[in-house]
Amino acid sequence: MIGGVDPDFHRRDLADAIEAGAHPQWELGIQTFPDTPDQTFEGIDLLDPTNLVPEELAPVQPVGLLTLNANPSNFFAETEQVAFHPGHLVPGIDVTDDPLLAGRLFSYLDTQITRLGGPNFPQIPVNRPHAPVNDMLRDGLHQTAVHRGVAPYRPNSLDGGCPFQAGADTGAFVESPVTVPEARKVREAPASFADHFSQPRRFWLSMTPVEQEHIVLAYTFELGKCYEKAIKERALRVLARIDPELCRKVATGLGLPAPEASEPLPDVEPSPALSQVGRTWPVQGRTVGIVVGADADTAAVRAVRDAALEAGLVPLVVAPAGGELGAEGEPVTVQRTFATARSVEFDALLLAGNPGYGADADGARAGADTGAAASATDPRVLLMVAEAYRHAKPIACWSGADTVLEAAGVPSGAPGVVTAGSGEDAFGEVLTLMPRHRVWERFPAGA
């Protein structure tokens, strides 16, 4: 839906958040395991990239925080030319025998050589390390360095034996020695790779009833768009091996009988850490839509906008038309119009009164009779409010905007729906709801 409304939504959302000072952050965490000969942990094959290890068995240890604090000044030079590669390692980290990683160690390097015009892509400024690099790589396409010496190899006598190889005593990268047990090398996957159902069953059992209902609806929708009955029946046989209730509910939505599992269900323990319900996250960088009419109280709107900025949010004013609101005092800039805004762009909605009809709504531009009363609400705003309610986003209103809720079919006393006496009170209520990501109580758990 977002891709159809605005194909550039995600990069625009990221750039707007950085520009607003709500710098996005990602925390890097690792799980560590004993180095065992069979490379497993608690019966889980660590070399199977589809596996996840429950945090209850191996807690995630934060090791770093990535913050984006500036937008690129030249998109091509600083973004398009970035060359990511899993072989870019620092001392203390080495690769495992993961077969997927082994393939990427080759393919990523080959991709960058082809994409960036040669083997010297690490010299492009955005890819260049801060520490000096001393290696034996010379010449090649797009070479910018002026190397000294005549013998880029070792041992040699022409350069007096230089360059010397750095050792662990100088902090150089040292590959970890691994003892390889006696075995046969064959083109086969380990037997543990054939376990396709332990992980999805653990994930399903770890979800709350609300989240399980979302999974059921997603499967039902996607399979409902498949018009080959045999394929839907095959998918149901797969779901039956994950959980019989999941299979039954999806089958009911498809109008098909639920098959029995062809194999015993895996015996796994849930991992509550996989569930989103009951947890909170920082609100900084999230987007709030402030829906206003042409005659809105700009002082109140400005106060709400400033409070949102103070909280680290990105407030976007949505009005009937673009430009600015308020003929006197400090005007309020309009970032979205009723024609360009959709609810999927916002994490919460604030309604500053009944915005009425836009001049371009349903024939209003041509002077046609829309059949709406003077107090009616633009249908595009009603769609926005109804979508936000269905997606369980916080909604708050003041200054008579409860009529908008009624017209959109939104119960005024529903969870996460706030009617306040002022814009600042409404925003304060919304701010307490946003860390939970969604108003989960608004979703009924399926029977």
Side-chain angles (χ1 to χ4, degrees):
M1 187 174 178
I2 292 177
V5 174
D6 181 6
D8 293 324
F9 168 79
H10 288 101
R11 71 171 62 179
R12 190 194 317 280
D13 179 67
L14 181 65
D16 287 349
I18 296 173
E19 192 69 24
H23 300 147
Q25 293 181 322
W26 290 264
E27 188 171 43
L28 173 63
I30 63 172
Q31 291 175 290
T32 59
F33 315 101
D35 190 4
T36 60
D38 59 2
Q39 302 188 77
T40 64
F41 178 75
E42 297 289 340
I44 300 173
D45 189 340
L46 299 177
L47 300 184
D48 183 349
T50 66
N51 275 342
L52 57 88
V53 178
E55 294 182 30
E56 291 80 8
L57 300 179
V60 175
Q61 304 174 43
V63 296
L65 186 68
L66 171 66
T67 302
L68 298 184
N69 56 18
N71 282 309
S73 55
N74 184 301
F75 191 83
F76 177 80
E78 298 176 275
T79 302
E80 291 292 339
Q81 292 192 120
V82 169
F84 293 104
H85 174 34
H88 291 159
L89 302 172
V90 298
I93 297 179
D94 209 340
V95 299
T96 68
D97 295 330
D98 182 339
L100 182 61
L101 176 59
R104 289 181 172 176
L105 287 170
F106 160 77
S107 64
Y108 274 58
L109 177 61
D110 186 66
T111 297
Q112 309 304 2
I113 290 175
T114 303
R115 186 172 70 89
L116 297 172
N120 291 308
F121 64 85
Q123 296 180 16
I124 298 174
V126 71
N127 298 320
R128 187 181 302 153
H130 292 285
V133 176
N134 299 306
D135 55 33
M136 298 182 187
L137 303 179
R138 299 291 187 273
D139 307 328
L141 291 174
H142 303 147
Q143 177 60 257
T144 61
V146 180
H147 294 102
R148 305 295 181 182
V150 295
Y153 51 85
R154 62 181 297 273
N156 70 77
S157 57
L158 295 176
D159 275 343
C162 293
F164 296 100
Q165 187 167 358
D169 59 327
T170 62
F173 181 84
V174 177
E175 294 180 335
S176 176
V178 178
T179 301
V180 180
E182 182 179 352
R184 295 183 304 116
K185 186 171 77 171
V186 295
R187 190 180 291 273
E188 295 178 0
S192 61
F193 278 35
D195 178 10
H196 304 300
F197 295 97
S198 293
Q199 292 296 324
R201 178 158 176 77
R202 186 194 306 275
F203 186 84
W204 169 260
L205 295 177
S206 302
M207 298 293 103
T208 61
V210 167
E211 293 166 311
Q212 289 182 345
E213 181 66 14
H214 279 200
I215 295 172
V216 169
L217 294 175
Y219 269 120
T220 305
F221 174 81
E222 297 296 342
L223 290 174
K225 299 292 288 185
C226 174
Y227 303 115
E228 293 291 337
K229 181 180 178 182
I231 295 177
K232 290 189 280 191
E233 291 174 337
R234 187 185 311 157
L236 288 175
R237 289 195 293 270
V238 172
L239 296 182
R241 296 189 61 183
I242 298 174
D243 188 84
E245 277 300 294
L246 168 63
C247 180
R248 180 186 66 81
K249 292 179 179 179
V250 174
T252 299
L254 299 176
L256 295 172
E260 297 292 331
S262 59
E263 300 284 343
L265 298 179
D267 184 16
V268 296
E269 291 294 326
S271 174
L274 294 173
S275 172
Q276 292 188 50
V277 177
R279 302 169 63 186
T280 59
W281 292 268
V283 300
Q284 287 75 17
R286 300 200 197 181
T287 304
V288 176
I290 307 174
V291 183
V292 303
D295 56 351
D297 182 352
T298 54
V301 173
R302 192 182 307 113
V304 172
R305 182 198 61 187
D306 293 345
L309 289 171
E310 182 69 23
L313 303 176
V314 180
L316 298 179
V317 175
V318 185
E324 295 180 338
L325 298 175
E328 300 179 358
E330 181 185 352
V332 174
T333 301
V334 175
Q335 285 89 13
R336 301 290 187 271
T337 67
F338 294 170
T340 61
R342 285 296 292 269
S343 69
V344 289
E345 187 176 6
F346 309 115
D347 297 291
L349 274 184
L350 300 173
L351 305 175
N354 190 329
Y357 261 68
D360 57 345
D362 289 347
R365 188 193 308 278
D369 183 8
T370 63
S375 61
T377 306
D378 193 298
R380 295 166 295 186
V381 173
L382 297 180
L383 175 63
M384 193 186 315
V385 173
E387 284 180 347
Y389 178 77
R390 291 200 309 272
H391 296 161
K393 297 177 180 179
I395 301 173
C397 66
W398 70 95
S399 189
D402 50 333
T403 59
V404 180
L405 300 179
E406 182 180 358
V410 175
S412 59
V417 178
V418 178
T419 301
S422 68
E424 292 178 307
D425 290 342
F427 174 73
E429 293 279 352
V430 164
L431 192 60
T432 63
L433 294 168
M434 291 184 69
R436 300 173 55 209
H437 184 55
R438 287 288 189 270
V439 183
W440 299 108
E441 296 83 359
R442 203 180 294 168
F443 287 118

